[in-house]
Amino acid sequence: MKRFAVIGLGNFGFHAAKALYEDGNEVLAIDSDRARVQSIDPHCSEAMVLDATDKEAVKSLGLEETDGVIVSTGTKISNSILICLYLQEAGVKKILAKAIDDDHAKILRRMGATEIIHPERDMAIRVSRNLSRPNVLDFIPLAEEFDMIQVGAPRDFIGKSLIQLNLRARYNVHVIAIKELVPENFVLVPPADYVIKDSDILVMLGKSADIRRIKELK
């Protein structure tokens, strides 16, 4: 069982806490609004009315022992900035913070956020790509700088083994799986001596810029 905390119980924070709890995790849900805390109480391990912009109150929670804290406060930017700062100072290693825009995201990173969440933007991208690519999972949004894609084997890859291609060194990407179409098979974490066929679909993980380089190959 992992331990998480969610600070801010609006729509996003409520559903994040509930989903974590339903996955079998220990979840501490925090908000300054008593009605929101009462609403989440059946769907978390502990629900607490607390002002997370109070530095000493945050320090007293022992959140440095958690596996991660989600900061999902409202539109008052200063609150999320202060909370991220206090969490960082308290020694929390993983801080996921909801950002309103790109400038807000930059400030949150400087204040200690290790991952930025753009709920509306990320969902819009996912819905749009599902509409335009209904039959093939080409793109999965991950953390802000990373992508995972499925791509047909580029011509230069065919007939070569993964160790020969040395994609980690050349492109800084990782082949985490291969979908063989002839015959149908799925190879999870393929061995270094795996030879790429023209019918293979490569599942790759890497930074967005490096992934774009692979997608541009013919």
Side-chain angles (χ1 to χ4, degrees):
M1 179 187 294
K2 292 185 177 181
R3 296 178 60 223
F4 298 98
V6 178
I7 300 175
L9 299 172
N11 286 333
F12 181 85
F14 177 93
H15 290 291
K18 185 172 182 284
L20 286 169
Y21 183 66
E22 289 175 349
D23 278 346
N25 300 295
E26 183 179 331
V27 179
L28 170 62
I30 300 167
D31 200 290
S32 59
D33 186 301
R34 185 171 297 278
R36 289 180 175 178
V37 171
Q38 290 174 341
S39 179
I40 194 64
D41 188 57
H43 309 291
C44 66
S45 309
E46 182 180 0
M48 178 182 297
V49 178
L50 181 136
D51 178 6
T53 63
D54 181 331
K55 183 176 182 177
E56 294 307 314
V58 171
K59 283 179 64 177
S60 70
L61 296 174
L63 296 179
E64 68 276 7
E65 301 298 327
T66 64
D67 293 282
V69 178
I70 296 176
V71 179
S72 176
T73 52
T75 57
K76 192 172 181 181
I77 292 175
S78 60
N79 284 355
S80 58
I81 292 171
L82 280 175
I83 293 167
C84 284
L85 174 63
Y86 297 158
L87 291 173
Q88 181 191 47
E89 290 180 347
V92 177
K93 302 258 187 319
K94 191 174 184 65
I95 305 169
L96 301 87
K98 187 177 75 171
I100 294 173
D101 54 36
D102 290 339
D103 288 336
H104 186 203
K106 289 177 185 177
I107 297 170
L108 290 173
R109 284 197 180 279
R110 291 181 183 179
M111 293 300 105
T114 55
E115 186 173 331
I116 302 298
I117 305 165
H118 297 276
E120 291 187 356
R121 186 185 73 182
D122 294 346
M123 183 53 68
I125 291 171
R126 182 172 299 177
V127 169
S128 298
R129 288 203 166 104
N130 283 343
L131 285 172
S132 64
R133 307 167 185 173
N135 298 317
V136 180
L137 181 60
D138 288 318
F139 180 100
I140 300 175
L142 301 172
E144 195 170 27
E145 298 177 356
F146 290 85
D147 297 334
M148 184 165 68
I149 65 163
Q150 289 185 138
V151 61
R155 188 181 304 117
D156 289 345
F157 289 13
I158 297 169
K160 296 178 182 175
S161 67
L162 290 175
I163 195 168
Q164 287 176 302
L165 291 170
N166 199 12
L167 297 178
R168 182 175 179 181
R170 290 173 62 195
Y171 296 99
N172 199 30
V173 299
H174 302 265
V175 177
I176 60 174
I178 294 177
K179 292 173 67 175
E180 295 180 290
L181 300 183
V182 184
E184 283 194 6
N185 188 31
F186 187 83
V187 183
L188 184 63
V189 190
D193 60 357
Y194 184 97
V195 176
I196 305 295
K197 303 182 293 297
D198 60 359
S199 57
D200 287 345
I201 303 294
L202 311 181
V203 182
M204 296 182 173
L205 174 67
K207 287 192 173 182
S208 303
D210 297 321
I211 287 292
R212 280 196 297 272
R213 292 167 60 203
I214 291 289
K215 293 180 75 173
E216 289 166 359
L217 295 175
K218 302 298 183 183

